Amino acid sequence: LDSHWAVTHRRLFAGLAFELDGHGCISNYNKSIEYYPGERRAIFGVVDGFAPAVATFATDFEIEYRKTYKILRNLLSHDVYVLRQCGTPAELQDLPAYAVGATVFEVPVSSWSTGGTIAVSYLEELGLGPQAAIVDPTWVTSPCVQKLVGCGVAASWDQATTSGHSWSEQVTRSGS
């Protein structure tokens, strides 16, 4: 990731009891530290100056915070995702029964792939455009993503599928 990202995030998390490396991962893990304190939570429904450990948004989804991970739950579709802070142990302590078997993502995201176009704009808005690994540029209107594919920084979906490996194998090989 670029140095602007690292500088911005170091400023945002200055004063917390842990350090982030240039990729946003915990660089000094300590099992006694709360890695999602109130300052790192979605700030809705603040009570007495603290963000709650469980926050519900527009009755559609919920975020539950644990020490080293957070659980996103779509209350309409009942999909559950676990977002584990990189630099912390892969073992998810105290995982609630409803989240057992959920897809786990390491955050912050270091790379991504998509065969569609809808996610591209959202990922760019999150500042993740440069982390594209494999995309289908056919209908992508973003000049930045088109340039990433054109320069070979990101693979085109058709390049990935003509390599002799399936789409899912290529995505796995790319680390996204």
Side-chain angles (χ1 to χ4, degrees):
L1 300 175
D2 67 17
S3 61
H4 173 72
W5 184 93
V7 169
T8 300
H9 284 78
R10 282 191 192 108
R11 281 188 202 136
L12 286 174
F13 301 120
L16 294 179
F18 55 88
E19 296 175 13
L20 300 176
D21 66 15
H23 300 285
C25 296
I26 302 297
S27 61
N28 61 336
Y29 175 74
N30 178 329
K31 67 181 181 177
S32 65
I33 293 176
E34 174 75 38
Y35 289 97
Y36 287 104
E39 300 87 22
R40 292 194 69 204
R41 296 179 183 169
I43 309 297
F44 293 97
V46 174
V47 177
D48 295 328
F50 294 97
V54 178
T56 303
F57 300 90
T59 69
D60 294 341
F61 70 96
E62 176 180 271
I63 304 172
E64 181 177 344
Y65 295 91
R66 299 296 178 117
K67 281 184 94 159
T68 60
Y69 62 93
K70 50 192 164 187
I71 304 166
L72 266 51
R73 191 158 52 156
N74 183 320
L75 300 175
L76 300 176
S77 69
H78 306 289
D79 292 330
V80 177
Y81 304 96
V82 177
L83 308 179
R84 184 184 62 80
Q85 175 65 46
C86 63
T88 64
E91 181 184 339
L92 302 170
Q93 303 246 336
D94 304 319
L95 189 66
Y98 74 83
V100 171
T103 301
V104 178
F105 292 96
E106 186 175 84
V107 295
V109 172
S110 60
S111 68
W112 57 272
S113 295
T114 182
T117 59
I118 295 171
V120 172
S121 294
Y122 293 108
L123 291 163
E124 282 190 302
E125 283 294 316
L126 291 170
L128 296 172
Q131 282 84 352
I134 304 173
V135 297
D136 179 359
T138 307
W139 304 109
V140 172
T141 59
S142 163
C144 294
V145 172
Q146 290 285 353
K147 181 100 174 162
L148 288 170
V149 172
C151 292
V153 174
S156 172
W157 181 51
D158 59 343
Q159 293 168 336
T161 56
T162 59
S163 69
H165 300 283
S166 71
W167 166 256
S168 61
E169 287 172 324
Q170 281 297 89
V171 168
T172 300
R173 292 172 67 137
S174 75
S176 65

PDB file of all heavy atoms in Angstrom, residues 91-128:
ATOM      1  N   GLU A  91      -6.985 -18.035  14.942  1.00  0.00           N
ATOM      2  CA  GLU A  91      -8.013 -18.647  15.792  1.00  0.00           C
ATOM      3  C   GLU A  91      -8.941 -17.549  16.307  1.00  0.00           C
ATOM      4  O   GLU A  91      -8.495 -16.534  16.828  1.00  0.00           O
ATOM      5  CB  GLU A  91      -7.374 -19.365  16.972  1.00  0.00           C
ATOM      6  CG  GLU A  91      -8.390 -20.024  17.874  1.00  0.00           C
ATOM      7  CD  GLU A  91      -7.750 -20.667  19.106  1.00  0.00           C
ATOM      8  OE1 GLU A  91      -6.545 -20.950  19.070  1.00  0.00           O
ATOM      9  OE2 GLU A  91      -8.482 -20.858  20.083  1.00  0.00           O
ATOM     10  N   LEU A  92     -10.238 -17.751  16.140  1.00  0.00           N
ATOM     11  CA  LEU A  92     -11.237 -16.760  16.550  1.00  0.00           C
ATOM     12  C   LEU A  92     -11.803 -17.158  17.907  1.00  0.00           C
ATOM     13  O   LEU A  92     -12.648 -18.038  18.011  1.00  0.00           O
ATOM     14  CB  LEU A  92     -12.349 -16.662  15.500  1.00  0.00           C
ATOM     15  CG  LEU A  92     -11.866 -16.285  14.101  1.00  0.00           C
ATOM     16  CD1 LEU A  92     -12.985 -16.441  13.088  1.00  0.00           C
ATOM     17  CD2 LEU A  92     -11.317 -14.882  14.090  1.00  0.00           C
ATOM     18  N   GLN A  93     -11.310 -16.511  18.941  1.00  0.00           N
ATOM     19  CA  GLN A  93     -11.742 -16.817  20.307  1.00  0.00           C
ATOM     20  C   GLN A  93     -13.183 -16.378  20.531  1.00  0.00           C
ATOM     21  O   GLN A  93     -13.594 -15.323  20.071  1.00  0.00           O
ATOM     22  CB  GLN A  93     -10.830 -16.087  21.288  1.00  0.00           C
ATOM     23  CG  GLN A  93      -9.387 -16.427  21.122  1.00  0.00           C
ATOM     24  CD  GLN A  93      -8.825 -17.158  22.314  1.00  0.00           C
ATOM     25  OE1 GLN A  93      -9.332 -17.045  23.410  1.00  0.00           O
ATOM     26  NE2 GLN A  93      -7.788 -17.924  22.085  1.00  0.00           N
ATOM     27  N   ASP A  94     -13.951 -17.172  21.237  1.00  0.00           N
ATOM     28  CA  ASP A  94     -15.324 -16.851  21.628  1.00  0.00           C
ATOM     29  C   ASP A  94     -16.243 -16.567  20.446  1.00  0.00           C
ATOM     30  O   ASP A  94     -17.119 -15.707  20.517  1.00  0.00           O
ATOM     31  CB  ASP A  94     -15.349 -15.651  22.590  1.00  0.00           C
ATOM     32  CG  ASP A  94     -14.487 -15.889  23.817  1.00  0.00           C
ATOM     33  OD1 ASP A  94     -14.514 -17.024  24.337  1.00  0.00           O
ATOM     34  OD2 ASP A  94     -13.792 -14.955  24.244  1.00  0.00           O
ATOM     35  N   LEU A  95     -16.062 -17.298  19.344  1.00  0.00           N
ATOM     36  CA  LEU A  95     -16.921 -17.113  18.178  1.00  0.00           C
ATOM     37  C   LEU A  95     -18.320 -17.618  18.503  1.00  0.00           C
ATOM     38  O   LEU A  95     -18.491 -18.766  18.899  1.00  0.00           O
ATOM     39  CB  LEU A  95     -16.344 -17.879  16.983  1.00  0.00           C
ATOM     40  CG  LEU A  95     -16.997 -17.635  15.636  1.00  0.00           C
ATOM     41  CD1 LEU A  95     -16.757 -16.198  15.182  1.00  0.00           C
ATOM     42  CD2 LEU A  95     -16.442 -18.608  14.591  1.00  0.00           C
ATOM     43  N   PRO A  96     -19.344 -16.757  18.356  1.00  0.00           N
ATOM     44  CA  PRO A  96     -20.706 -17.203  18.656  1.00  0.00           C
ATOM     45  C   PRO A  96     -21.177 -18.291  17.687  1.00  0.00           C
ATOM     46  O   PRO A  96     -20.703 -18.346  16.542  1.00  0.00           O
ATOM     47  CB  PRO A  96     -21.563 -15.940  18.483  1.00  0.00           C
ATOM     48  CG  PRO A  96     -20.666 -14.846  18.093  1.00  0.00           C
ATOM     49  CD  PRO A  96     -19.287 -15.381  17.942  1.00  0.00           C
ATOM     50  N   ALA A  97     -22.086 -19.132  18.135  1.00  0.00           N
ATOM     51  CA  ALA A  97     -22.571 -20.255  17.329  1.00  0.00           C
ATOM     52  C   ALA A  97     -23.094 -19.802  15.971  1.00  0.00           C
ATOM     53  O   ALA A  97     -22.878 -20.478  14.962  1.00  0.00           O
ATOM     54  CB  ALA A  97     -23.654 -21.015  18.098  1.00  0.00           C
ATOM     55  N   TYR A  98     -23.767 -18.654  15.908  1.00  0.00           N
ATOM     56  CA  TYR A  98     -24.337 -18.208  14.622  1.00  0.00           C
ATOM     57  C   TYR A  98     -23.264 -17.838  13.601  1.00  0.00           C
ATOM     58  O   TYR A  98     -23.534 -17.752  12.402  1.00  0.00           O
ATOM     59  CB  TYR A  98     -25.324 -17.050  14.814  1.00  0.00           C
ATOM     60  CG  TYR A  98     -24.692 -15.716  15.138  1.00  0.00           C
ATOM     61  CD1 TYR A  98     -24.189 -14.887  14.135  1.00  0.00           C
ATOM     62  CD2 TYR A  98     -24.603 -15.283  16.457  1.00  0.00           C
ATOM     63  CE1 TYR A  98     -23.610 -13.670  14.434  1.00  0.00           C
ATOM     64  CE2 TYR A  98     -24.023 -14.062  16.760  1.00  0.00           C
ATOM     65  CZ  TYR A  98     -23.538 -13.261  15.744  1.00  0.00           C
ATOM     66  OH  TYR A  98     -22.969 -12.054  16.036  1.00  0.00           O
ATOM     67  N   ALA A  99     -22.008 -17.656  14.040  1.00  0.00           N
ATOM     68  CA  ALA A  99     -20.929 -17.276  13.127  1.00  0.00           C
ATOM     69  C   ALA A  99     -19.992 -18.436  12.785  1.00  0.00           C
ATOM     70  O   ALA A  99     -19.117 -18.286  11.937  1.00  0.00           O
ATOM     71  CB  ALA A  99     -20.129 -16.123  13.724  1.00  0.00           C
ATOM     72  N   VAL A 100     -20.191 -19.585  13.415  1.00  0.00           N
ATOM     73  CA  VAL A 100     -19.360 -20.755  13.109  1.00  0.00           C
ATOM     74  C   VAL A 100     -19.625 -21.148  11.657  1.00  0.00           C
ATOM     75  O   VAL A 100     -20.762 -21.267  11.233  1.00  0.00           O
ATOM     76  CB  VAL A 100     -19.659 -21.916  14.071  1.00  0.00           C
ATOM     77  CG1 VAL A 100     -18.967 -23.200  13.621  1.00  0.00           C
ATOM     78  CG2 VAL A 100     -19.257 -21.552  15.488  1.00  0.00           C
ATOM     79  N   GLY A 101     -18.574 -21.312  10.886  1.00  0.00           N
ATOM     80  CA  GLY A 101     -18.710 -21.674   9.477  1.00  0.00           C
ATOM     81  C   GLY A 101     -18.863 -20.479   8.541  1.00  0.00           C
ATOM     82  O   GLY A 101     -18.939 -20.646   7.326  1.00  0.00           O
ATOM     83  N   ALA A 102     -18.896 -19.269   9.093  1.00  0.00           N
ATOM     84  CA  ALA A 102     -19.021 -18.064   8.267  1.00  0.00           C
ATOM     85  C   ALA A 102     -17.732 -17.833   7.478  1.00  0.00           C
ATOM     86  O   ALA A 102     -16.658 -18.267   7.886  1.00  0.00           O
ATOM     87  CB  ALA A 102     -19.312 -16.846   9.144  1.00  0.00           C
ATOM     88  N   THR A 103     -17.855 -17.133   6.359  1.00  0.00           N
ATOM     89  CA  THR A 103     -16.680 -16.749   5.589  1.00  0.00           C
ATOM     90  C   THR A 103     -15.866 -15.747   6.399  1.00  0.00           C
ATOM     91  O   THR A 103     -16.422 -14.810   6.963  1.00  0.00           O
ATOM     92  CB  THR A 103     -17.108 -16.111   4.248  1.00  0.00           C
ATOM     93  OG1 THR A 103     -17.897 -17.057   3.516  1.00  0.00           O
ATOM     94  CG2 THR A 103     -15.900 -15.717   3.421  1.00  0.00           C
ATOM     95  N   VAL A 104     -14.549 -15.967   6.453  1.00  0.00           N
ATOM     96  CA  VAL A 104     -13.654 -15.093   7.212  1.00  0.00           C
ATOM     97  C   VAL A 104     -12.801 -14.305   6.225  1.00  0.00           C
ATOM     98  O   VAL A 104     -12.194 -14.870   5.318  1.00  0.00           O
ATOM     99  CB  VAL A 104     -12.754 -15.902   8.162  1.00  0.00           C
ATOM    100  CG1 VAL A 104     -11.790 -14.984   8.904  1.00  0.00           C
ATOM    101  CG2 VAL A 104     -13.592 -16.714   9.138  1.00  0.00           C
ATOM    102  N   PHE A 105     -12.778 -12.985   6.407  1.00  0.00           N
ATOM    103  CA  PHE A 105     -11.930 -12.104   5.618  1.00  0.00           C
ATOM    104  C   PHE A 105     -10.896 -11.483   6.547  1.00  0.00           C
ATOM    105  O   PHE A 105     -11.227 -11.077   7.656  1.00  0.00           O
ATOM    106  CB  PHE A 105     -12.740 -10.964   4.982  1.00  0.00           C
ATOM    107  CG  PHE A 105     -13.701 -11.415   3.929  1.00  0.00           C
ATOM    108  CD1 PHE A 105     -15.036 -11.653   4.245  1.00  0.00           C
ATOM    109  CD2 PHE A 105     -13.284 -11.585   2.610  1.00  0.00           C
ATOM    110  CE1 PHE A 105     -15.924 -12.061   3.276  1.00  0.00           C
ATOM    111  CE2 PHE A 105     -14.170 -11.991   1.643  1.00  0.00           C
ATOM    112  CZ  PHE A 105     -15.495 -12.228   1.966  1.00  0.00           C
ATOM    113  N   GLU A 106      -9.668 -11.394   6.057  1.00  0.00           N
ATOM    114  CA  GLU A 106      -8.644 -10.679   6.803  1.00  0.00           C
ATOM    115  C   GLU A 106      -8.715  -9.214   6.392  1.00  0.00           C
ATOM    116  O   GLU A 106      -8.784  -8.906   5.209  1.00  0.00           O
ATOM    117  CB  GLU A 106      -7.262 -11.251   6.485  1.00  0.00           C
ATOM    118  CG  GLU A 106      -6.162 -10.659   7.325  1.00  0.00           C
ATOM    119  CD  GLU A 106      -4.824 -11.328   7.070  1.00  0.00           C
ATOM    120  OE1 GLU A 106      -4.153 -10.925   6.111  1.00  0.00           O
ATOM    121  OE2 GLU A 106      -4.485 -12.242   7.822  1.00  0.00           O
ATOM    122  N   VAL A 107      -8.755  -8.322   7.375  1.00  0.00           N
ATOM    123  CA  VAL A 107      -8.823  -6.892   7.092  1.00  0.00           C
ATOM    124  C   VAL A 107      -7.630  -6.181   7.705  1.00  0.00           C
ATOM    125  O   VAL A 107      -7.109  -6.627   8.726  1.00  0.00           O
ATOM    126  CB  VAL A 107     -10.149  -6.276   7.619  1.00  0.00           C
ATOM    127  CG1 VAL A 107     -11.335  -6.840   6.876  1.00  0.00           C
ATOM    128  CG2 VAL A 107     -10.326  -6.478   9.116  1.00  0.00           C
ATOM    129  N   PRO A 108      -7.170  -5.094   7.098  1.00  0.00           N
ATOM    130  CA  PRO A 108      -7.732  -4.525   5.883  1.00  0.00           C
ATOM    131  C   PRO A 108      -7.424  -5.403   4.669  1.00  0.00           C
ATOM    132  O   PRO A 108      -6.473  -6.169   4.657  1.00  0.00           O
ATOM    133  CB  PRO A 108      -7.041  -3.170   5.749  1.00  0.00           C
ATOM    134  CG  PRO A 108      -5.817  -3.249   6.573  1.00  0.00           C
ATOM    135  CD  PRO A 108      -6.077  -4.283   7.627  1.00  0.00           C
ATOM    136  N   VAL A 109      -8.281  -5.285   3.665  1.00  0.00           N
ATOM    137  CA  VAL A 109      -8.169  -6.072   2.446  1.00  0.00           C
ATOM    138  C   VAL A 109      -6.875  -5.692   1.718  1.00  0.00           C
ATOM    139  O   VAL A 109      -6.605  -4.516   1.511  1.00  0.00           O
ATOM    140  CB  VAL A 109      -9.394  -5.824   1.535  1.00  0.00           C
ATOM    141  CG1 VAL A 109      -9.228  -6.479   0.186  1.00  0.00           C
ATOM    142  CG2 VAL A 109     -10.662  -6.300   2.224  1.00  0.00           C
ATOM    143  N   SER A 110      -6.084  -6.695   1.350  1.00  0.00           N
ATOM    144  CA  SER A 110      -4.836  -6.404   0.649  1.00  0.00           C
ATOM    145  C   SER A 110      -4.984  -6.535  -0.859  1.00  0.00           C
ATOM    146  O   SER A 110      -4.232  -5.924  -1.609  1.00  0.00           O
ATOM    147  CB  SER A 110      -3.721  -7.313   1.149  1.00  0.00           C
ATOM    148  OG  SER A 110      -4.063  -8.663   0.934  1.00  0.00           O
ATOM    149  N   SER A 111      -5.936  -7.341  -1.327  1.00  0.00           N
ATOM    150  CA  SER A 111      -6.217  -7.450  -2.752  1.00  0.00           C
ATOM    151  C   SER A 111      -7.630  -7.989  -2.931  1.00  0.00           C
ATOM    152  O   SER A 111      -8.192  -8.591  -2.028  1.00  0.00           O
ATOM    153  CB  SER A 111      -5.197  -8.344  -3.451  1.00  0.00           C
ATOM    154  OG  SER A 111      -5.331  -9.681  -3.040  1.00  0.00           O
ATOM    155  N   TRP A 112      -8.183  -7.743  -4.131  1.00  0.00           N
ATOM    156  CA  TRP A 112      -9.544  -8.188  -4.417  1.00  0.00           C
ATOM    157  C   TRP A 112      -9.662  -8.551  -5.887  1.00  0.00           C
ATOM    158  O   TRP A 112      -8.868  -8.111  -6.716  1.00  0.00           O
ATOM    159  CB  TRP A 112     -10.578  -7.127  -4.036  1.00  0.00           C
ATOM    160  CG  TRP A 112     -10.359  -5.796  -4.704  1.00  0.00           C
ATOM    161  CD1 TRP A 112      -9.583  -4.764  -4.256  1.00  0.00           C
ATOM    162  CD2 TRP A 112     -10.902  -5.357  -5.956  1.00  0.00           C
ATOM    163  NE1 TRP A 112      -9.621  -3.710  -5.138  1.00  0.00           N
ATOM    164  CE2 TRP A 112     -10.423  -4.048  -6.198  1.00  0.00           C
ATOM    165  CE3 TRP A 112     -11.751  -5.928  -6.898  1.00  0.00           C
ATOM    166  CZ2 TRP A 112     -10.764  -3.318  -7.335  1.00  0.00           C
ATOM    167  CZ3 TRP A 112     -12.091  -5.202  -8.033  1.00  0.00           C
ATOM    168  CH2 TRP A 112     -11.606  -3.915  -8.240  1.00  0.00           C
ATOM    169  N   SER A 113     -10.658  -9.373  -6.192  1.00  0.00           N
ATOM    170  CA  SER A 113     -10.959  -9.769  -7.566  1.00  0.00           C
ATOM    171  C   SER A 113     -12.461  -9.777  -7.744  1.00  0.00           C
ATOM    172  O   SER A 113     -13.206 -10.044  -6.787  1.00  0.00           O
ATOM    173  CB  SER A 113     -10.416 -11.168  -7.858  1.00  0.00           C
ATOM    174  OG  SER A 113      -9.010 -11.172  -7.803  1.00  0.00           O
ATOM    175  N   THR A 114     -12.911  -9.500  -8.967  1.00  0.00           N
ATOM    176  CA  THR A 114     -14.333  -9.574  -9.275  1.00  0.00           C
ATOM    177  C   THR A 114     -14.532  -9.856 -10.755  1.00  0.00           C
ATOM    178  O   THR A 114     -13.772  -9.363 -11.586  1.00  0.00           O
ATOM    179  CB  THR A 114     -15.094  -8.297  -8.865  1.00  0.00           C
ATOM    180  OG1 THR A 114     -16.489  -8.476  -9.164  1.00  0.00           O
ATOM    181  CG2 THR A 114     -14.589  -7.071  -9.605  1.00  0.00           C
ATOM    182  N   GLY A 115     -15.527 -10.675 -11.046  1.00  0.00           N
ATOM    183  CA  GLY A 115     -15.905 -10.946 -12.427  1.00  0.00           C
ATOM    184  C   GLY A 115     -17.031 -10.036 -12.866  1.00  0.00           C
ATOM    185  O   GLY A 115     -17.459 -10.071 -14.011  1.00  0.00           O
ATOM    186  N   GLY A 116     -17.527  -9.199 -11.962  1.00  0.00           N
ATOM    187  CA  GLY A 116     -18.606  -8.265 -12.273  1.00  0.00           C
ATOM    188  C   GLY A 116     -18.100  -6.838 -12.210  1.00  0.00           C
ATOM    189  O   GLY A 116     -16.920  -6.583 -11.989  1.00  0.00           O
ATOM    190  N   THR A 117     -19.017  -5.911 -12.400  1.00  0.00           N
ATOM    191  CA  THR A 117     -18.611  -4.505 -12.393  1.00  0.00           C
ATOM    192  C   THR A 117     -19.171  -3.718 -11.216  1.00  0.00           C
ATOM    193  O   THR A 117     -18.637  -2.668 -10.876  1.00  0.00           O
ATOM    194  CB  THR A 117     -19.071  -3.806 -13.689  1.00  0.00           C
ATOM    195  OG1 THR A 117     -20.486  -3.901 -13.792  1.00  0.00           O
ATOM    196  CG2 THR A 117     -18.417  -4.433 -14.905  1.00  0.00           C
ATOM    197  N   ILE A 118     -20.210  -4.208 -10.592  1.00  0.00           N
ATOM    198  CA  ILE A 118     -20.894  -3.443  -9.550  1.00  0.00           C
ATOM    199  C   ILE A 118     -19.962  -3.100  -8.396  1.00  0.00           C
ATOM    200  O   ILE A 118     -19.922  -1.970  -7.928  1.00  0.00           O
ATOM    201  CB  ILE A 118     -22.139  -4.193  -9.044  1.00  0.00           C
ATOM    202  CG1 ILE A 118     -23.156  -4.308 -10.185  1.00  0.00           C
ATOM    203  CG2 ILE A 118     -22.747  -3.505  -7.834  1.00  0.00           C
ATOM    204  CD1 ILE A 118     -24.328  -5.209  -9.904  1.00  0.00           C
ATOM    205  N   ALA A 119     -19.166  -4.047  -7.958  1.00  0.00           N
ATOM    206  CA  ALA A 119     -18.295  -3.831  -6.794  1.00  0.00           C
ATOM    207  C   ALA A 119     -17.151  -2.862  -7.066  1.00  0.00           C
ATOM    208  O   ALA A 119     -16.620  -2.254  -6.137  1.00  0.00           O
ATOM    209  CB  ALA A 119     -17.733  -5.167  -6.322  1.00  0.00           C
ATOM    210  N   VAL A 120     -16.765  -2.690  -8.330  1.00  0.00           N
ATOM    211  CA  VAL A 120     -15.583  -1.893  -8.663  1.00  0.00           C
ATOM    212  C   VAL A 120     -15.678  -0.473  -8.116  1.00  0.00           C
ATOM    213  O   VAL A 120     -14.755   0.013  -7.464  1.00  0.00           O
ATOM    214  CB  VAL A 120     -15.325  -1.887 -10.187  1.00  0.00           C
ATOM    215  CG1 VAL A 120     -14.224  -0.914 -10.551  1.00  0.00           C
ATOM    216  CG2 VAL A 120     -14.985  -3.292 -10.668  1.00  0.00           C
ATOM    217  N   SER A 121     -16.781   0.202  -8.347  1.00  0.00           N
ATOM    218  CA  SER A 121     -16.932   1.586  -7.873  1.00  0.00           C
ATOM    219  C   SER A 121     -16.886   1.671  -6.356  1.00  0.00           C
ATOM    220  O   SER A 121     -16.282   2.583  -5.796  1.00  0.00           O
ATOM    221  CB  SER A 121     -18.234   2.191  -8.381  1.00  0.00           C
ATOM    222  OG  SER A 121     -18.192   2.315  -9.786  1.00  0.00           O
ATOM    223  N   TYR A 122     -17.519   0.729  -5.689  1.00  0.00           N
ATOM    224  CA  TYR A 122     -17.506   0.727  -4.231  1.00  0.00           C
ATOM    225  C   TYR A 122     -16.090   0.514  -3.703  1.00  0.00           C
ATOM    226  O   TYR A 122     -15.660   1.185  -2.760  1.00  0.00           O
ATOM    227  CB  TYR A 122     -18.438  -0.345  -3.673  1.00  0.00           C
ATOM    228  CG  TYR A 122     -19.889  -0.071  -3.949  1.00  0.00           C
ATOM    229  CD1 TYR A 122     -20.594  -0.816  -4.885  1.00  0.00           C
ATOM    230  CD2 TYR A 122     -20.558   0.941  -3.273  1.00  0.00           C
ATOM    231  CE1 TYR A 122     -21.928  -0.555  -5.147  1.00  0.00           C
ATOM    232  CE2 TYR A 122     -21.889   1.209  -3.526  1.00  0.00           C
ATOM    233  CZ  TYR A 122     -22.564   0.453  -4.461  1.00  0.00           C
ATOM    234  OH  TYR A 122     -23.876   0.722  -4.715  1.00  0.00           O
ATOM    235  N   LEU A 123     -15.375  -0.417  -4.306  1.00  0.00           N
ATOM    236  CA  LEU A 123     -14.004  -0.687  -3.867  1.00  0.00           C
ATOM    237  C   LEU A 123     -13.100   0.509  -4.125  1.00  0.00           C
ATOM    238  O   LEU A 123     -12.241   0.832  -3.307  1.00  0.00           O
ATOM    239  CB  LEU A 123     -13.478  -1.947  -4.538  1.00  0.00           C
ATOM    240  CG  LEU A 123     -14.172  -3.217  -4.030  1.00  0.00           C
ATOM    241  CD1 LEU A 123     -13.941  -4.378  -4.984  1.00  0.00           C
ATOM    242  CD2 LEU A 123     -13.696  -3.566  -2.635  1.00  0.00           C
ATOM    243  N   GLU A 124     -13.321   1.210  -5.230  1.00  0.00           N
ATOM    244  CA  GLU A 124     -12.541   2.429  -5.487  1.00  0.00           C
ATOM    245  C   GLU A 124     -12.867   3.509  -4.463  1.00  0.00           C
ATOM    246  O   GLU A 124     -11.974   4.202  -3.986  1.00  0.00           O
ATOM    247  CB  GLU A 124     -12.822   2.950  -6.897  1.00  0.00           C
ATOM    248  CG  GLU A 124     -12.097   2.163  -7.961  1.00  0.00           C
ATOM    249  CD  GLU A 124     -12.192   2.829  -9.306  1.00  0.00           C
ATOM    250  OE1 GLU A 124     -13.317   3.057  -9.786  1.00  0.00           O
ATOM    251  OE2 GLU A 124     -11.135   3.118  -9.870  1.00  0.00           O
ATOM    252  N   GLU A 125     -14.148   3.648  -4.110  1.00  0.00           N
ATOM    253  CA  GLU A 125     -14.536   4.641  -3.095  1.00  0.00           C
ATOM    254  C   GLU A 125     -13.883   4.347  -1.754  1.00  0.00           C
ATOM    255  O   GLU A 125     -13.592   5.259  -0.995  1.00  0.00           O
ATOM    256  CB  GLU A 125     -16.058   4.683  -2.922  1.00  0.00           C
ATOM    257  CG  GLU A 125     -16.780   5.428  -4.020  1.00  0.00           C
ATOM    258  CD  GLU A 125     -16.450   6.913  -4.024  1.00  0.00           C
ATOM    259  OE1 GLU A 125     -16.415   7.536  -2.948  1.00  0.00           O
ATOM    260  OE2 GLU A 125     -16.198   7.449  -5.118  1.00  0.00           O
ATOM    261  N   LEU A 126     -13.641   3.091  -1.468  1.00  0.00           N
ATOM    262  CA  LEU A 126     -12.972   2.694  -0.231  1.00  0.00           C
ATOM    263  C   LEU A 126     -11.455   2.841  -0.333  1.00  0.00           C
ATOM    264  O   LEU A 126     -10.739   2.544   0.617  1.00  0.00           O
ATOM    265  CB  LEU A 126     -13.323   1.245   0.123  1.00  0.00           C
ATOM    266  CG  LEU A 126     -14.773   1.002   0.553  1.00  0.00           C
ATOM    267  CD1 LEU A 126     -15.049  -0.496   0.630  1.00  0.00           C
ATOM    268  CD2 LEU A 126     -15.066   1.684   1.870  1.00  0.00           C
ATOM    269  N   GLY A 127     -10.970   3.279  -1.493  1.00  0.00           N
ATOM    270  CA  GLY A 127      -9.535   3.455  -1.690  1.00  0.00           C
ATOM    271  C   GLY A 127      -8.813   2.164  -2.032  1.00  0.00           C
ATOM    272  O   GLY A 127      -7.596   2.072  -1.932  1.00  0.00           O
ATOM    273  N   LEU A 128      -9.567   1.142  -2.439  1.00  0.00           N
ATOM    274  CA  LEU A 128      -8.982  -0.167  -2.708  1.00  0.00           C
ATOM    275  C   LEU A 128      -8.773  -0.450  -4.198  1.00  0.00           C
ATOM    276  O   LEU A 128      -8.383  -1.556  -4.561  1.00  0.00           O
ATOM    277  CB  LEU A 128      -9.866  -1.268  -2.101  1.00  0.00           C
ATOM    278  CG  LEU A 128      -9.977  -1.236  -0.580  1.00  0.00           C
ATOM    279  CD1 LEU A 128     -11.017  -2.233  -0.099  1.00  0.00           C
ATOM    280  CD2 LEU A 128      -8.639  -1.506   0.057  1.00  0.00           C
TER     281      LEU A 128
END
